[in-house]
Amino acid sequence: MTKLSVNINKVATIRNARGANNPDVVKVALDCERFGAQGITVHPRPDERHIRRQDVRDLKPVLTTEFNIEGNPEPEFVELVLQVVPAQVTLVPDAHEQITSNSGWDTKKHIDFLTEVTKKFHEKGIRVSIFVDADPEMVEWAAKAGADRVELYTEPYATNYPNGREQAIAPFVAAGEKAKSLGLGLNCGHDLSLENLAYMHERMPYIDEVSIGHALICDALYLGLEETIKRYNACLK
């Protein structure tokens, strides 16, 4: 079964708007696990505009499912991940000013850097996933860098899905098959929702994990968190 990892960044955004601890990020993460999520994802950024570095430290000892930390492997991020030692680190080429991730790595261009940082995380026993576009060449170079998995950037799939789902999924199937052929695990994330997730899973049942935040938290405002997680898990069966 494909695992659902809930990205709780948006919960931290709401908390930070008022400066106190409501909603409590740790409590929400534990509730997500209790309601059936098989993982928790956070993406701490340098300005701490949502998840803070202390949140990452607070979450690690209490989570019972897989902990995935995403981010640009700059020195401060690398240091944090090596201290916390999550199950997985996802390397994302975010610029500081980006609102959200909007592209994958050029793994061929950055092969030396990605190989070096992947080795550091492997020395701590941390699984490494590299965030890439749905391009078989980028998947291949991620494998050469030593990655255990790739995460496909799925915003283009979500955007094109209403105009023709077969055409929208095609490059992702090609990239996913390439990952399988190279022995890489496969994650997917970004703009996946109750509208488009089931079809992606139908066409790519070998996906190891989907990481979903924005749409899931928005749905929870209407459906409640427990019901929302139940519906997302239903898309993955």
Side-chain angles (χ1 to χ4, degrees):
M1 177 179 171
T2 301
K3 291 182 177 180
L4 171 65
S5 184
V6 177
N7 185 320
I8 59 171
N9 278 18
K10 285 296 183 294
V11 178
T13 300
I14 297 170
R15 176 201 60 189
N16 294 353
R18 292 295 294 268
N21 193 39
N22 188 26
D24 185 323
V25 167
V26 173
K27 182 180 184 304
V28 172
L30 294 176
D31 285 341
C32 288
E33 290 186 324
R34 184 163 57 90
F35 296 149
Q38 297 92 38
I40 299 295
T41 292
V42 294
H43 190 145
R45 286 182 166 85
D47 60 6
E48 296 194 308
R49 63 181 181 266
H50 34 63
I51 288 293
R52 299 168 182 156
R53 286 178 284 280
Q54 188 57 47
D55 294 327
V56 178
R57 298 185 181 98
D58 291 343
L59 285 161
K60 176 56 166 61
V62 298
L63 296 179
T64 58
T65 60
E66 287 200 351
F67 192 23
N68 172 45
I69 305 178
E70 299 181 343
N72 192 328
E74 297 178 329
E76 190 172 36
F77 176 85
V78 171
E79 181 182 0
L80 176 65
V81 174
L82 292 176
Q83 288 173 355
V84 172
V85 191
Q88 177 175 269
V89 61
T90 301
L91 309 183
V92 183
D94 276 343
H96 287 193
E97 67 276 6
Q98 281 181 236
I99 295 175
T100 187
S101 308
N102 61 12
S103 63
W105 286 96
D106 183 334
T107 48
K108 183 176 182 179
K109 178 179 179 180
H110 297 286
I111 183 65
D112 291 340
F113 172 70
L114 291 170
T115 300
E116 178 184 357
V117 75
T118 295
K119 182 180 178 182
K120 286 183 181 179
F121 292 130
H122 278 166
E123 288 170 354
K124 281 282 193 174
I126 303 169
R127 183 173 69 232
V128 177
S129 178
I130 296 181
F131 193 69
V132 296
D133 296 324
D135 180 340
E137 184 182 17
M138 294 300 102
V139 172
E140 184 173 358
W141 282 91
K144 291 179 180 178
D148 304 289
R149 295 184 182 180
V150 288
E151 178 174 325
L152 300 183
Y153 171 53
T154 51
E155 186 275 337
Y157 164 72
T159 297
N160 294 320
Y161 180 88
N163 302 318
R165 63 184 192 174
E166 294 85 359
Q167 185 174 357
I169 197 68
F172 293 88
V173 172
E177 293 291 341
K178 184 65 174 181
K180 280 178 59 181
S181 74
L182 294 169
L184 291 175
L186 183 65
N187 298 339
C188 290
H190 218 286
D191 288 352
L192 297 175
S193 69
L194 291 175
E195 177 186 8
N196 58 46
L197 179 59
Y199 181 68
M200 171 166 272
H201 186 255
E202 176 187 329
R203 293 294 308 276
M204 302 170 68
Y206 46 81
I207 295 171
D208 291 293
E209 172 190 292
V210 292
S211 175
I212 304 177
H214 184 82
L216 189 150
I217 299 303
C218 289
D219 289 332
L221 294 175
Y222 296 96
L223 302 171
L225 186 59
E226 184 172 8
E227 177 64 21
T228 297
I229 290 174
K230 178 181 177 181
R231 293 193 189 190
Y232 275 86
N233 274 327
C235 292
L236 300 172
K237 293 181 180 177

